[in-house]
């Protein structure tokens, strides 16, 4: 699954994924600055969803 992250929480999601999600990658588009996450791990998806659901980031 590849998912773009809303810009208002992009830095927080990027830091969390890099620190806490071993099977998930983060990509920052150099031209637009958009952040995307890519994963096939249901465990990582669940961790990200739980952490950022209050900010409206639904996977």
């Amino acid at each position: 699954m590849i998912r773009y992250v809303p810009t208002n929480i992009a830095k927080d999601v990027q830091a969390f994924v890099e620190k806490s999600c071993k099977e998930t990658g983060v990509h920052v588009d150099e031209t637009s600055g958009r952040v995307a996450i890519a994963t096939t791990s249901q465990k990582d998806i669940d961790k990200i969803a739980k952490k950022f659901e209050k900010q409206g980031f639904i996977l």
Side-chain angles (χ1 to χ4, degrees), residues 2-3 8-10 16 23 25-26 28 32 36-38 42 44-47 50-52 58:
I2 298 173
R3 179 71 192 257
N8 61 325
I9 61 170
F16 178 76
E23 299 177 35
V26 176
V28 180
S32 68
I37 58 171
Q42 187 62 44
D44 284 356
I45 290 170
D46 293 343
K47 282 198 282 188
K50 184 177 180 183
K51 175 80 173 171
F52 294 101
I58 299 170

Side-chain angles (χ1 to χ4, degrees), residues 9-43:
I9 61 170
K11 291 199 183 288
D12 294 335
V13 171
Q14 180 179 1
F16 178 76
V17 168
E18 288 174 348
K19 180 180 177 189
S20 303
C21 301
K22 305 265 186 242
E23 299 177 35
T24 301
V26 176
H27 172 74
V28 180
D29 186 304
E30 293 180 16
T31 56
S32 68
R34 290 181 76 184
V35 174
I37 58 171
T39 190
T40 57
S41 169
Q42 187 62 44
K43 183 178 175 182

